[in-house]
Every structure is written in C-alpha cells, then in structure tokens.
C-alpha cells in the first residue's frame, strides 16, 4: 500500500526555473530580462507601475551621470586643493558608494537598468571626461 502523499516525501517539490532564484516570497532573476516589473535595489521598488519604472530608470541614469562628474571633475582636483584632503576623500567615498549602488542595480538583471547605466556613464564621459582628457593632452604637447 502506497502512503506517499504529494509533496510529503518521495519526490522533492519542483524547483524554480534555473534563471530564477527563490528569495523570500518572490523570484529573483539570474539572467537578463526585459520587463517593467522589476525590483531595483529595494524590495518592492519600483513595483509594477510603468511610471515608477520610468522614474527608476531616470534616477539610475542621473546617478551614473553624477558618478562620471565626480570622477572627471576638476572641481575636486583643482579648487579643493587648498583643503586638507578631507573633501577629496569624501568625494572619493561618495563616488565609490554610488558606483557600487549602480553595480547592484545592474545586478537586478533588468535590461532597461543595464542600458541606462551604460548610457549614463557614456553620456557623462562625453560631457565631463572628454574635456579633461583633451586638456591633459594639450598640456603634454
């Protein structure tokens, strides 16, 4: 007589698909996906509303621009040289913290987030980094 009830011994419960990982009550993607239904950095954010997803993408884009500005800004290199390095150290710590937050945002595996991070860094370099590199090359000539 077979007394095995479904899910009570015998065979283990089915596992989630390999491109997902169980975290709490939901699934976390382990491969890139394209959807407005994503969680970026915080549980439940931006949620399932399209407007909140677009806002999240804008915020991520602006943060990546800001990281490029800090990385390539002469403000911290020249104007703050009169200070004892504390401001430069704070700026460096802020740059690293924001860069790690962007890395974690990309680790949501949402294609939209990946695209806006790359676009933000690229556009930030176009605005801030390219000028600094051309000034450095002119000084070396």
């Amino acid at each position: 007589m077979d007394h095995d009830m479904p899910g009570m011994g015998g065979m283990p419960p089915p596992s989630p698909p390999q491109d997902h990982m169980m975290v709490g009550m939901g699934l976390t993607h382990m491969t890139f996906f394209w959807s407005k239904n994503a969680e970026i950095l915080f549980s439940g954010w931006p949620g399932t509303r399209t407007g909140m997803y677009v806002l999240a993408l804008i915020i991520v884009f602006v943060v990546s621009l800001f990281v490029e500005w800090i990385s390539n800004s002469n403000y911290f290199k020249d104007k703050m040289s009169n200070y004892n390095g504390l401001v430069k150290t704070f700026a460096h710590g802020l740059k690293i913290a924001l860069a790690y937050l962007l890395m974690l945002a990309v680790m949501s595996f949402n294609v939209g987030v990946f695209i806006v991070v790359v676009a933000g860094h690229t556009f930030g370099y176009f605005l801030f980094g390219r000028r600094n590199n051309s000034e450095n090359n002119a000084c070396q000539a």
Side-chain angles (χ1 to χ4, degrees):
M1 179 176 238
D2 187 16
H3 294 286
D4 286 342
M5 295 177 65
M8 302 294 270
M11 297 190 58
S15 61
Q18 290 183 344
D19 65 339
H20 293 75
M21 186 172 82
M22 292 295 289
V23 176
M25 296 296 285
L27 293 175
T28 300
H29 286 268
M30 298 305 290
T31 58
F32 279 108
F33 71 101
W34 187 276
S35 174
K36 69 176 180 60
N37 302 334
E39 285 189 349
I40 305 168
L41 296 178
F42 306 105
S43 179
W45 187 75
T48 58
R49 296 192 329 231
T50 303
M52 290 302 292
Y53 178 69
V54 170
L55 178 64
L57 293 181
I58 290 169
I59 290 170
V60 168
F61 181 82
V62 169
V63 169
S64 62
L65 270 177
F66 188 66
V67 167
E68 284 298 317
W69 178 75
I70 293 173
S71 297
N72 295 296
S73 176
N74 285 331
Y75 182 78
F76 295 107
K77 295 173 185 165
D78 298 335
K79 294 185 176 53
M80 292 296 167
S81 61
N82 297 335
Y83 295 98
N84 61 2
L86 186 61
V87 173
K88 288 182 182 180
T89 302
F90 175 76
H92 178 74
L94 180 63
K95 176 186 79 170
I96 296 301
L98 292 175
Y100 275 119
L101 280 176
L102 289 172
M103 178 198 67
L104 290 171
V106 169
M107 289 176 63
S108 70
F109 290 100
N110 184 284
V111 174
V113 172
F114 177 74
I115 289 171
V116 297
V117 167
V118 171
H121 278 293
T122 303
F123 191 59
Y125 180 81
F126 176 76
L127 293 176
F128 311 117
R130 160 178 88 88
R131 245 180 294 164
N132 290 339
N133 288 338
S134 60
E135 289 172 5
N136 290 341
N137 291 338
C139 291
Q140 293 173 356

